[in-house]
Amino acid sequence: MEKRFKSLSLFEFQAQFPNDEKCTEYIANLKWANGFKCNRCGHDKYCTGNKAYDRQCSRCNHGESPMAGTLFHKSKLPILKAFYIIYYLATTKNGISSTELSRKLALRQKTCWLFKQKVMKAMESSQNFPMEGKVDVDETYVGGQDEQAIGRNEGKKKIMVVAVERKGKGVSRMYGRVIETASKKNLKKFMEEHINKDALVRTDGWTGYKGLESEFPKPTREKSEKKGKNFPQLHRSIMMFKAWLRGVHHSVHYLQAYINEYTYRLNRHKMKEGIFENLIKRMVSKPPHTYKMIIN
Ligand SMILES: [Zn+2]
């Protein structure tokens, strides 16, 4: 049994969440952990609402379910099945496809796909923990001619900027972002959001990084003859990401969502907080992500 994640075993999960009611209670406790605040008028007094765990504002009578205004908002899934999807996505080393989820949970594949997209939204980086120490940055193409298996059927080649935090011979963290062009502006924004100012940053010397020295005071430029030679950890990380992507997904549509999913699990494997609990917390604290927002 692989002990990669500090997480609930399936047995513990089932004992803690035996039914919809326990899941709803868990969400309500998280959502109103710091007290109630009406999301219509801001009042902080309430009485019980129509259903168990609903709350109704005692000033404006606005009723609110624990799920309202969160990533669980208007989900048609029974809440227990939604919890199972989150559980599998959090604790399965390489993730799980919507097809497999639909088989395991007796749900339509489309339903699983849509909810999975919402969970992937919750996996998006909080940008609260920028990378420190030794950091390598580079861009890579995903899809198109370089990536036959992905690009054959649909979607075009996309550019992704990737940064890894090195630790010994390995990588402790990784972030990635789909960018329109490898312009200085796009690279700078990504680096500012994910890399600490004091980090020792290495780039491949691509012109897009010129002028970023002042932003990151300790960049070491390395002449690269062959890609992958100077930045073995970075390029291995990129290769592994691409291999994973080919395994689960066959186009570059929704690439950012898949980057979020992959790096979320990778970056969390040494964290103390349980990955499942963290993911549920994020689901509750983030605003709704609708079908319309997803397909755009
Ligand atoms: Zn109110």
Side-chain angles (χ1 to χ4, degrees), residues 2-128:
E2 185 164 319
K3 279 260 176 188
R4 187 180 157 92
F5 301 119
K6 180 187 175 289
S7 63
L8 295 168
S9 69
L10 183 59
F11 180 79
E12 290 167 324
F13 170 79
Q14 286 170 333
Q16 193 179 348
F17 302 107
N19 51 41
D20 287 336
E21 199 199 330
K22 284 286 173 196
C23 300
T24 310
E25 183 188 16
Y26 192 81
I27 294 175
N29 288 338
L30 277 177
K31 181 176 177 175
W32 293 306
N34 300 315
F36 174 78
K37 195 179 174 206
C38 173
N39 71 6
R40 183 186 281 167
C41 78
H43 191 60
D44 62 1
K45 302 275 188 305
Y46 67 93
C47 41
T48 48
N50 292 335
K51 286 186 197 160
Y53 306 109
D54 279 10
R55 294 187 179 185
Q56 192 176 343
C57 174
S58 53
R59 186 201 273 161
C60 76
N61 286 336
H62 176 63
E64 200 177 318
S65 79
M67 284 69 106
T70 75
L71 277 171
F72 291 102
H73 195 70
K74 286 188 179 165
S75 168
K76 288 178 188 117
L77 277 174
I79 195 72
L80 180 62
K81 292 200 177 188
F83 267 49
Y84 268 90
I85 292 179
I86 296 165
Y87 177 80
Y88 284 124
L89 283 169
T91 58
T92 312
K93 190 185 164 201
N94 291 316
I96 182 165
S97 69
S98 52
T99 314
E100 208 174 336
L101 286 168
S102 97
R103 253 198 318 267
K104 275 184 189 286
L105 301 171
L107 291 165
R108 288 170 62 231
Q109 184 267 335
K110 261 195 154 176
T111 309
C112 294
W113 181 87
L114 180 60
F115 191 75
K116 188 183 165 184
Q117 292 291 326
K118 295 179 184 187
V119 182
M120 286 158 98
K121 184 67 185 169
M123 288 171 155
E124 192 174 58
S125 164
S126 65
Q127 298 179 6
N128 290 335

Side-chain angles (χ1 to χ4, degrees), residues 105-275:
L105 301 171
L107 291 165
R108 288 170 62 231
Q109 184 267 335
K110 261 195 154 176
T111 309
C112 294
W113 181 87
L114 180 60
F115 191 75
K116 188 183 165 184
Q117 292 291 326
K118 295 179 184 187
V119 182
M120 286 158 98
K121 184 67 185 169
M123 288 171 155
E124 192 174 58
S125 164
S126 65
Q127 298 179 6
N128 290 335
F129 305 99
M131 297 196 275
E132 295 169 339
K134 296 170 180 172
V135 178
D136 293 351
V137 188
D138 198 7
E139 331 79 45
T140 183
Y141 286 105
V142 184
Q145 286 173 334
D146 293 347
E147 285 282 312
Q148 293 287 337
I150 294 174
R152 198 179 299 145
N153 298 321
E154 51 173 324
K156 284 181 192 161
K157 199 151 70 165
K158 288 194 174 173
I159 308 174
M160 162 186 170
V161 55
V162 182
V164 296
E165 184 184 79
R166 284 182 289 141
K167 203 158 201 185
K169 287 184 176 174
V171 159
S172 45
R173 281 190 290 164
M174 172 179 179
Y175 289 112
R177 179 177 296 166
V178 177
I179 49 177
E180 284 289 315
T181 57
S183 67
K184 184 182 158 188
K185 188 179 160 227
N186 290 338
L187 297 169
K188 187 180 167 203
K189 188 163 191 294
F190 169 77
M191 288 167 76
E192 281 175 347
E193 287 170 357
H194 289 292
I195 306 172
N196 193 295
K197 288 278 176 215
D198 298 325
L200 185 68
V201 181
R202 294 198 307 188
T203 69
D204 228 354
W206 173 257
T207 49
Y209 297 99
K210 279 214 178 99
L212 290 179
E213 293 92 335
S214 56
E215 311 289 327
F216 296 90
K218 304 179 211 164
T220 49
R221 231 25 112 58
E222 302 209 356
K223 275 184 194 163
S224 75
E225 286 126 37
K226 271 183 190 162
K227 274 222 159 178
K229 206 180 167 194
N230 287 334
F231 301 88
Q233 292 98 331
L234 176 66
H235 293 118
R236 194 165 56 235
S237 300
I238 291 172
M239 261 172 50
M240 284 168 70
F241 167 73
K242 287 181 179 177
W244 171 80
L245 189 67
R246 271 194 297 272
V248 293
H249 197 52
H250 307 287
S251 87
V252 290
H253 280 143
Y254 314 111
L255 178 59
Q256 187 63 52
Y258 285 94
I259 297 171
N260 295 346
E261 182 190 350
Y262 184 85
T263 56
Y264 176 82
R265 267 194 304 266
L266 184 90
N267 295 346
R268 234 146 228 88
H269 71 283
K270 278 177 190 151
M271 292 214 175
K272 288 202 175 96
E273 187 181 29
I275 188 168

